[in-house]
Amino acid sequence: MIEKRRTRDLPQINERIRFPTIRVIDTAGEQLGILTPQEALRLAEEKDLDLVLVSDKADPPVCRIMDYGKYKFELEKKAREAKKKQHTADVKEVKMRYKIEEHDYQVRVNQAERFLKAGDKVKATITFRGREIQHSDLAEELLKRMATDLQEMAEVQQAPKKEGRNMMMLLSPKK
């Protein structure tokens, strides 16, 4: 069972190609015609290369004569490059209290702006201590103000919502 799974994961090259006839393409990209896998493998071995199955969906299946090691390396290199360029959107948090001073508020807005420009989501959190929780309406106003201040570059993904002793809102960058 385990042995069968291993051979299925391996690419179909050389002796693993099991079709009665295949279309063969040489290293220059020219078609050599429809051959049996044995004939194609003999041609590949004469050039010290491998016979690699490119498309098994075609009729007949398409195989190419190439250096499999080099081909595999190129595929891995492309995958690494693609992974390097891809950006995952993190969630950055901006914390404050509802009694925040104007300058401190502007600092938080600037932080959120910087995070949004970098393509990250911003979680704006207001924490309450003791009896401050009675003023949750003021906290909600502050979060809505922040949303309007950032409306050119962000859209509200989650409206202000109370969670225990916190009130939070989630902003995501506009496309």
Side-chain angles (χ1 to χ4, degrees):
M1 177 72 181
I2 293 170
E3 196 62 39
K4 200 181 261 188
R5 192 179 301 132
R6 267 197 210 125
T7 56
R8 195 177 339 129
D9 292 344
L10 292 171
Q12 292 194 328
I13 58 170
N14 300 336
E15 292 83 19
R16 291 198 202 98
I17 298 171
R18 304 205 184 272
F19 293 103
T21 57
I22 55 174
R23 183 177 305 274
V24 182
I25 301 171
D26 70 354
T27 52
E30 295 176 21
Q31 290 195 23
L32 301 178
I34 297 170
L35 307 170
T36 64
Q38 293 79 18
E39 292 171 327
L41 187 59
R42 188 180 48 74
L43 284 172
E45 285 173 350
E46 283 173 9
K47 297 177 182 177
D48 271 339
L49 296 170
D50 300 302
L51 185 66
V52 180
L53 182 69
V54 178
S55 170
D56 57 350
K57 305 282 187 269
D59 186 40
V62 180
C63 293
R64 188 176 205 134
I65 295 174
M66 66 173 85
D67 183 351
Y68 180 69
K70 199 181 256 183
Y71 171 71
K72 190 175 172 189
F73 175 75
E74 289 296 322
L75 284 179
E76 288 171 358
K77 193 173 169 184
K78 283 179 187 170
R80 279 195 304 272
E81 286 297 317
K83 191 176 180 185
K84 229 184 257 183
K85 289 179 182 153
Q86 133 186 33
H87 173 75
T88 54
D90 297 330
V91 177
K92 304 283 189 169
E93 190 170 21
V94 175
K95 285 187 173 187
M96 55 190 153
R97 308 272 301 280
Y98 82 93
K99 294 189 281 189
I100 193 167
E101 288 292 323
E102 184 56 34
H103 176 264
D104 295 333
Y105 169 76
Q106 287 304 322
V107 169
R108 297 298 182 277
V109 169
N110 291 340
Q111 281 178 333
E113 202 172 298
R114 197 174 66 236
F115 295 148
L116 290 164
K117 280 181 182 169
D120 296 320
K121 293 180 180 181
V122 174
K123 178 180 176 183
T125 307
I126 295 180
T127 52
F128 300 107
R129 289 193 189 145
R131 294 189 199 145
E132 289 180 353
I133 203 148
Q134 298 167 358
H135 302 291
S136 58
D137 54 330
L138 294 173
E140 192 171 343
E141 276 179 36
L142 185 66
L143 288 175
K144 285 180 180 174
R145 179 179 163 204
M146 182 179 246
T148 55
D149 288 349
L150 294 169
Q151 71 184 3
E152 283 140 31
M153 60 179 44
E155 48 194 38
V156 178
Q157 192 172 347
Q158 185 179 355
K161 179 176 101 177
K162 213 160 145 185
E163 286 182 354
R165 294 206 152 274
N166 297 326
M167 183 174 277
M168 52 104 22
M169 168 179 74
L170 198 62
L171 300 168
S172 59
K174 280 188 177 173
K175 297 286 180 269

